[in-house]
Amino acid sequence: AQSVTQPDIHITVSEGASLELRCNYSYGATPYLFWYVQSPGQGLQLLLKYFSGDTLVQGIKGFEAEFKRSQSSFNLRKPSVHWSDAAEYFCAVGAMNTGFQKLVFGTGTRLLVSP
Amino acid sequence: KAGVTQTPRYLIKTRGQQVTLSCSPISGHRSVSWYQQTPGQGLQFLFEYFSETQRNKGNFPGRFSGRQFSNSRSEMNVSTLELGDSALYLCASSLGGTGGDQPQHFGDGTRLSIL
């Protein structure tokens, strides 16, 4: 069965500093990988996705993520964090044998942005 | 294009009651998935419907059920409510093809509180 690990529960970053959120997955085949962001009281917004091809994917709001098969990782990065990026971030994996509609999520990383 | 719409946004029920939540997907989307989000268990997949048929199911008791209508709108029902059912219930829609290259888009959720 697939699983996702986000080792950092909380991360605090200064505004303007760079950000990297870690995500490791467990899945027997090439996974479909996603990053979502959730602001308080809101649903999940898709930041970016990896299906195949170029292992560096660009998303919305200046985010990017890199798929590294050898490390089973899909880390999210942003070169310069803005105060509005404070939210909870979820990494998720979809599996081919369920038509990819059954997403398995990590436990999330809460990002705090200090002035 | 309107996003995924979930109604109601908030519900308060007492133990033993039943509840029905509604989800209207993005126009043209045929797959609707439901997730439960709690502080303790995180985001967990409940089930997925495609063309009025349940295509995937998570590991939840039979008290949790759903259905999908011909216009792709979906409802989720929880019977004999327990305190542990207090959660944010999220609905997500996608085009639903089995190719996997169609990410899920989430609504803002229904916050269910059980007294």
Side-chain angles (χ1 to χ4, degrees):
Chain A
Q2 60 267 36
S3 65
V4 177
T5 301
Q6 292 180 250
D8 303 306
I9 298 175
H10 296 100
I11 280 186
T12 300
V13 174
S14 298
E15 190 168 16
S18 63
L19 169 71
E20 181 168 30
L21 302 182
R22 296 183 290 166
C23 172
N24 292 95
Y25 67 89
S26 173
Y27 181 55
T30 300
Y32 281 21
L33 294 160
F34 307 85
W35 275 99
Y36 285 88
V37 61
Q38 185 178 36
S39 298
Q42 303 291 314
L44 302 174
Q45 182 182 22
L46 178 68
L47 285 175
L48 47 76
K49 59 187 183 292
Y50 172 77
F51 293 147
S52 64
D54 193 348
T55 56
L56 184 63
V57 293
Q58 302 297 320
I60 62 171
K61 304 185 180 186
F63 286 93
E64 67 177 26
E66 185 171 14
F67 171 63
K68 292 186 177 180
R69 184 189 302 276
S70 62
Q71 298 177 18
S72 297
S73 69
F74 188 57
N75 294 348
L76 181 71
R77 300 194 295 246
K78 187 170 184 178
S80 177
V81 167
H82 188 262
W83 64 267
S84 60
D85 293 324
E88 189 149 23
Y89 292 79
F90 294 92
C91 181
V93 61
M96 182 178 292
N97 63 349
T98 59
F100 300 95
Q101 304 307 317
K102 178 182 176 181
L103 293 180
V104 174
F105 286 88
T107 51
T109 297
R110 184 168 299 279
L111 173 65
L112 305 172
V113 180
S114 61
Chain B
K1 202 177 206 182
V4 178
T5 303
Q6 291 189 246
T7 56
R9 287 296 309 277
Y10 303 93
L11 266 179
I12 299 175
K13 293 286 186 179
T14 56
R15 281 182 296 173
Q17 287 187 310
Q18 75 166 24
V19 68
T20 300
L21 313 181
S22 179
C23 173
S24 293
I26 292 171
S27 178
H29 284 193
R30 296 169 63 193
S31 168
V32 174
S33 298
W34 289 89
Y35 294 82
Q36 181 195 65
Q37 186 178 25
T38 60
Q41 299 298 315
L43 281 152
Q44 293 186 289
F45 174 81
L46 281 155
F47 30 65
E48 182 227 355
Y49 286 85
F50 179 80
S51 292
E52 302 179 65
T53 300
Q54 188 181 85
R55 192 163 63 171
N56 283 299
K57 190 177 188 304
N59 190 26
F60 277 81
R63 300 186 297 107
F64 292 81
S65 63
R67 60 177 176 169
Q68 186 180 35
F69 302 95
S70 58
N71 61 358
S72 294
R73 190 177 71 85
S74 177
E75 288 182 346
M76 189 191 96
N77 185 75
V78 187
S79 62
T80 319
L81 286 165
E82 301 177 359
L83 292 177
D85 298 333
S86 293
L88 180 67
Y89 290 88
L90 292 164
C91 168
S93 76
S94 75
L95 291 170
T98 55
D101 56 346
Q102 296 137 13
Q104 295 180 42
H105 299 270
F106 285 78
D108 286 337
T110 293
R111 172 77 61 186
L112 175 62
S113 300
I114 311 301
L115 303 179

PDB file of all heavy atoms in Angstrom, chain A residues 76-96:
ATOM      1  N   LEU A  76       8.976  20.122  -1.827  1.00  0.00           N
ATOM      2  CA  LEU A  76       8.405  21.377  -2.321  1.00  0.00           C
ATOM      3  C   LEU A  76       9.346  22.530  -1.972  1.00  0.00           C
ATOM      4  O   LEU A  76       9.848  22.590  -0.843  1.00  0.00           O
ATOM      5  CB  LEU A  76       7.039  21.604  -1.675  1.00  0.00           C
ATOM      6  CG  LEU A  76       6.265  22.856  -2.096  1.00  0.00           C
ATOM      7  CD1 LEU A  76       5.748  22.714  -3.525  1.00  0.00           C
ATOM      8  CD2 LEU A  76       5.095  23.103  -1.140  1.00  0.00           C
ATOM      9  N   ARG A  77       9.550  23.429  -2.914  1.00  0.00           N
ATOM     10  CA  ARG A  77      10.468  24.533  -2.671  1.00  0.00           C
ATOM     11  C   ARG A  77       9.857  25.852  -3.144  1.00  0.00           C
ATOM     12  O   ARG A  77       9.007  25.887  -4.047  1.00  0.00           O
ATOM     13  CB  ARG A  77      11.800  24.309  -3.406  1.00  0.00           C
ATOM     14  CG  ARG A  77      12.513  23.037  -2.989  1.00  0.00           C
ATOM     15  CD  ARG A  77      13.935  23.045  -3.473  1.00  0.00           C
ATOM     16  NE  ARG A  77      14.021  23.011  -4.944  1.00  0.00           N
ATOM     17  CZ  ARG A  77      14.518  21.986  -5.624  1.00  0.00           C
ATOM     18  NH1 ARG A  77      14.914  20.903  -4.989  1.00  0.00           N
ATOM     19  NH2 ARG A  77      14.605  22.043  -6.934  1.00  0.00           N
ATOM     20  N   LYS A  78      10.351  26.917  -2.505  1.00  0.00           N
ATOM     21  CA  LYS A  78      10.014  28.266  -2.961  1.00  0.00           C
ATOM     22  C   LYS A  78      11.201  29.157  -2.628  1.00  0.00           C
ATOM     23  O   LYS A  78      11.701  29.121  -1.505  1.00  0.00           O
ATOM     24  CB  LYS A  78       8.736  28.790  -2.289  1.00  0.00           C
ATOM     25  CG  LYS A  78       8.270  30.127  -2.862  1.00  0.00           C
ATOM     26  CD  LYS A  78       6.899  30.528  -2.377  1.00  0.00           C
ATOM     27  CE  LYS A  78       6.454  31.815  -3.063  1.00  0.00           C
ATOM     28  NZ  LYS A  78       5.085  32.242  -2.670  1.00  0.00           N
ATOM     29  N   PRO A  79      11.696  29.928  -3.576  1.00  0.00           N
ATOM     30  CA  PRO A  79      12.911  30.702  -3.347  1.00  0.00           C
ATOM     31  C   PRO A  79      12.741  31.852  -2.358  1.00  0.00           C
ATOM     32  O   PRO A  79      13.681  32.202  -1.652  1.00  0.00           O
ATOM     33  CB  PRO A  79      13.286  31.233  -4.738  1.00  0.00           C
ATOM     34  CG  PRO A  79      12.050  31.095  -5.559  1.00  0.00           C
ATOM     35  CD  PRO A  79      11.244  29.999  -4.969  1.00  0.00           C
ATOM     36  N   SER A  80      11.540  32.433  -2.272  1.00  0.00           N
ATOM     37  CA  SER A  80      11.338  33.578  -1.397  1.00  0.00           C
ATOM     38  C   SER A  80       9.913  33.529  -0.855  1.00  0.00           C
ATOM     39  O   SER A  80       8.945  33.696  -1.604  1.00  0.00           O
ATOM     40  CB  SER A  80      11.578  34.882  -2.156  1.00  0.00           C
ATOM     41  OG  SER A  80      11.326  36.005  -1.326  1.00  0.00           O
ATOM     42  N   VAL A  81       9.793  33.317   0.428  1.00  0.00           N
ATOM     43  CA  VAL A  81       8.487  33.117   1.045  1.00  0.00           C
ATOM     44  C   VAL A  81       7.829  34.459   1.366  1.00  0.00           C
ATOM     45  O   VAL A  81       8.490  35.401   1.816  1.00  0.00           O
ATOM     46  CB  VAL A  81       8.647  32.272   2.331  1.00  0.00           C
ATOM     47  CG1 VAL A  81       7.383  32.304   3.164  1.00  0.00           C
ATOM     48  CG2 VAL A  81       9.003  30.848   1.983  1.00  0.00           C
ATOM     49  N   HIS A  82       6.529  34.515   1.142  1.00  0.00           N
ATOM     50  CA  HIS A  82       5.723  35.693   1.457  1.00  0.00           C
ATOM     51  C   HIS A  82       4.844  35.378   2.652  1.00  0.00           C
ATOM     52  O   HIS A  82       4.494  34.212   2.895  1.00  0.00           O
ATOM     53  CB  HIS A  82       4.876  36.052   0.218  1.00  0.00           C
ATOM     54  CG  HIS A  82       4.141  37.337   0.324  1.00  0.00           C
ATOM     55  ND1 HIS A  82       2.812  37.413   0.690  1.00  0.00           N
ATOM     56  CD2 HIS A  82       4.544  38.619   0.122  1.00  0.00           C
ATOM     57  CE1 HIS A  82       2.421  38.665   0.699  1.00  0.00           C
ATOM     58  NE2 HIS A  82       3.451  39.427   0.360  1.00  0.00           N
ATOM     59  N   TRP A  83       4.446  36.403   3.402  1.00  0.00           N
ATOM     60  CA  TRP A  83       3.634  36.176   4.600  1.00  0.00           C
ATOM     61  C   TRP A  83       2.352  35.412   4.249  1.00  0.00           C
ATOM     62  O   TRP A  83       1.840  34.626   5.053  1.00  0.00           O
ATOM     63  CB  TRP A  83       3.290  37.493   5.299  1.00  0.00           C
ATOM     64  CG  TRP A  83       2.430  38.430   4.495  1.00  0.00           C
ATOM     65  CD1 TRP A  83       2.845  39.425   3.690  1.00  0.00           C
ATOM     66  CD2 TRP A  83       0.997  38.403   4.392  1.00  0.00           C
ATOM     67  NE1 TRP A  83       1.785  40.047   3.094  1.00  0.00           N
ATOM     68  CE2 TRP A  83       0.637  39.443   3.501  1.00  0.00           C
ATOM     69  CE3 TRP A  83      -0.006  37.618   4.954  1.00  0.00           C
ATOM     70  CZ2 TRP A  83      -0.684  39.714   3.170  1.00  0.00           C
ATOM     71  CZ3 TRP A  83      -1.331  37.891   4.632  1.00  0.00           C
ATOM     72  CH2 TRP A  83      -1.659  38.921   3.742  1.00  0.00           C
ATOM     73  N   SER A  84       1.843  35.625   3.033  1.00  0.00           N
ATOM     74  CA  SER A  84       0.597  34.969   2.644  1.00  0.00           C
ATOM     75  C   SER A  84       0.775  33.470   2.400  1.00  0.00           C
ATOM     76  O   SER A  84      -0.211  32.759   2.175  1.00  0.00           O
ATOM     77  CB  SER A  84       0.029  35.620   1.376  1.00  0.00           C
ATOM     78  OG  SER A  84       0.948  35.515   0.314  1.00  0.00           O
ATOM     79  N   ASP A  85       2.019  32.990   2.416  1.00  0.00           N
ATOM     80  CA  ASP A  85       2.249  31.556   2.232  1.00  0.00           C
ATOM     81  C   ASP A  85       2.006  30.761   3.515  1.00  0.00           C
ATOM     82  O   ASP A  85       2.019  29.520   3.484  1.00  0.00           O
ATOM     83  CB  ASP A  85       3.680  31.296   1.754  1.00  0.00           C
ATOM     84  CG  ASP A  85       3.922  31.833   0.355  1.00  0.00           C
ATOM     85  OD1 ASP A  85       2.995  31.775  -0.477  1.00  0.00           O
ATOM     86  OD2 ASP A  85       5.045  32.317   0.094  1.00  0.00           O
ATOM     87  N   ALA A  86       1.809  31.432   4.622  1.00  0.00           N
ATOM     88  CA  ALA A  86       1.548  30.744   5.885  1.00  0.00           C
ATOM     89  C   ALA A  86       0.264  29.931   5.754  1.00  0.00           C
ATOM     90  O   ALA A  86      -0.810  30.476   5.465  1.00  0.00           O
ATOM     91  CB  ALA A  86       1.424  31.741   7.016  1.00  0.00           C
ATOM     92  N   ALA A  87       0.385  28.623   5.932  1.00  0.00           N
ATOM     93  CA  ALA A  87      -0.734  27.704   5.707  1.00  0.00           C
ATOM     94  C   ALA A  87      -0.244  26.306   6.046  1.00  0.00           C
ATOM     95  O   ALA A  87       0.889  26.113   6.497  1.00  0.00           O
ATOM     96  CB  ALA A  87      -1.213  27.761   4.261  1.00  0.00           C
ATOM     97  N   GLU A  88      -1.090  25.318   5.801  1.00  0.00           N
ATOM     98  CA  GLU A  88      -0.673  23.933   5.968  1.00  0.00           C
ATOM     99  C   GLU A  88      -0.521  23.298   4.587  1.00  0.00           C
ATOM    100  O   GLU A  88      -1.370  23.490   3.708  1.00  0.00           O
ATOM    101  CB  GLU A  88      -1.673  23.146   6.799  1.00  0.00           C
ATOM    102  CG  GLU A  88      -1.172  21.760   7.186  1.00  0.00           C
ATOM    103  CD  GLU A  88      -1.720  21.285   8.520  1.00  0.00           C
ATOM    104  OE1 GLU A  88      -2.775  21.778   8.945  1.00  0.00           O
ATOM    105  OE2 GLU A  88      -1.082  20.399   9.138  1.00  0.00           O
ATOM    106  N   TYR A  89       0.546  22.553   4.439  1.00  0.00           N
ATOM    107  CA  TYR A  89       0.890  21.968   3.149  1.00  0.00           C
ATOM    108  C   TYR A  89       0.836  20.450   3.233  1.00  0.00           C
ATOM    109  O   TYR A  89       1.387  19.854   4.152  1.00  0.00           O
ATOM    110  CB  TYR A  89       2.279  22.432   2.705  1.00  0.00           C
ATOM    111  CG  TYR A  89       2.312  23.905   2.377  1.00  0.00           C
ATOM    112  CD1 TYR A  89       2.384  24.852   3.402  1.00  0.00           C
ATOM    113  CD2 TYR A  89       2.243  24.354   1.059  1.00  0.00           C
ATOM    114  CE1 TYR A  89       2.384  26.209   3.106  1.00  0.00           C
ATOM    115  CE2 TYR A  89       2.249  25.707   0.761  1.00  0.00           C
ATOM    116  CZ  TYR A  89       2.311  26.627   1.791  1.00  0.00           C
ATOM    117  OH  TYR A  89       2.308  27.969   1.506  1.00  0.00           O
ATOM    118  N   PHE A  90       0.181  19.863   2.248  1.00  0.00           N
ATOM    119  CA  PHE A  90       0.009  18.413   2.211  1.00  0.00           C
ATOM    120  C   PHE A  90       0.585  17.833   0.934  1.00  0.00           C
ATOM    121  O   PHE A  90       0.289  18.313  -0.162  1.00  0.00           O
ATOM    122  CB  PHE A  90      -1.477  18.045   2.289  1.00  0.00           C
ATOM    123  CG  PHE A  90      -2.132  18.385   3.590  1.00  0.00           C
ATOM    124  CD1 PHE A  90      -2.764  19.601   3.765  1.00  0.00           C
ATOM    125  CD2 PHE A  90      -2.109  17.484   4.648  1.00  0.00           C
ATOM    126  CE1 PHE A  90      -3.378  19.914   4.974  1.00  0.00           C
ATOM    127  CE2 PHE A  90      -2.718  17.784   5.853  1.00  0.00           C
ATOM    128  CZ  PHE A  90      -3.343  19.012   6.019  1.00  0.00           C
ATOM    129  N   CYS A  91       1.362  16.795   1.106  1.00  0.00           N
ATOM    130  CA  CYS A  91       1.854  16.006  -0.006  1.00  0.00           C
ATOM    131  C   CYS A  91       0.927  14.799  -0.155  1.00  0.00           C
ATOM    132  O   CYS A  91       0.448  14.250   0.860  1.00  0.00           O
ATOM    133  CB  CYS A  91       3.286  15.559   0.298  1.00  0.00           C
ATOM    134  SG  CYS A  91       4.090  14.585  -0.977  1.00  0.00           S
ATOM    135  N   ALA A  92       0.655  14.382  -1.384  1.00  0.00           N
ATOM    136  CA  ALA A  92      -0.256  13.261  -1.586  1.00  0.00           C
ATOM    137  C   ALA A  92       0.224  12.410  -2.750  1.00  0.00           C
ATOM    138  O   ALA A  92       0.880  12.900  -3.679  1.00  0.00           O
ATOM    139  CB  ALA A  92      -1.677  13.760  -1.859  1.00  0.00           C
ATOM    140  N   VAL A  93      -0.119  11.135  -2.697  1.00  0.00           N
ATOM    141  CA  VAL A  93       0.226  10.205  -3.766  1.00  0.00           C
ATOM    142  C   VAL A  93      -1.033   9.518  -4.266  1.00  0.00           C
ATOM    143  O   VAL A  93      -1.925   9.180  -3.483  1.00  0.00           O
ATOM    144  CB  VAL A  93       1.270   9.166  -3.287  1.00  0.00           C
ATOM    145  CG1 VAL A  93       0.725   8.327  -2.141  1.00  0.00           C
ATOM    146  CG2 VAL A  93       1.700   8.255  -4.423  1.00  0.00           C
ATOM    147  N   GLY A  94      -1.115   9.346  -5.569  1.00  0.00           N
ATOM    148  CA  GLY A  94      -2.221   8.625  -6.175  1.00  0.00           C
ATOM    149  C   GLY A  94      -1.699   7.360  -6.809  1.00  0.00           C
ATOM    150  O   GLY A  94      -0.573   7.323  -7.300  1.00  0.00           O
ATOM    151  N   ALA A  95      -2.509   6.325  -6.788  1.00  0.00           N
ATOM    152  CA  ALA A  95      -2.062   5.016  -7.252  1.00  0.00           C
ATOM    153  C   ALA A  95      -2.777   4.610  -8.523  1.00  0.00           C
ATOM    154  O   ALA A  95      -3.966   4.823  -8.678  1.00  0.00           O
ATOM    155  CB  ALA A  95      -2.297   3.974  -6.176  1.00  0.00           C
ATOM    156  N   MET A  96      -2.027   3.977  -9.408  1.00  0.00           N
ATOM    157  CA  MET A  96      -2.581   3.576 -10.695  1.00  0.00           C
ATOM    158  C   MET A  96      -3.695   2.553 -10.532  1.00  0.00           C
ATOM    159  O   MET A  96      -4.681   2.589 -11.239  1.00  0.00           O
ATOM    160  CB  MET A  96      -1.468   3.021 -11.571  1.00  0.00           C
ATOM    161  CG  MET A  96      -1.912   2.610 -12.954  1.00  0.00           C
ATOM    162  SD  MET A  96      -0.553   2.014 -13.952  1.00  0.00           S
ATOM    163  CE  MET A  96       0.400   3.499 -14.182  1.00  0.00           C
TER     164      MET A  96
END
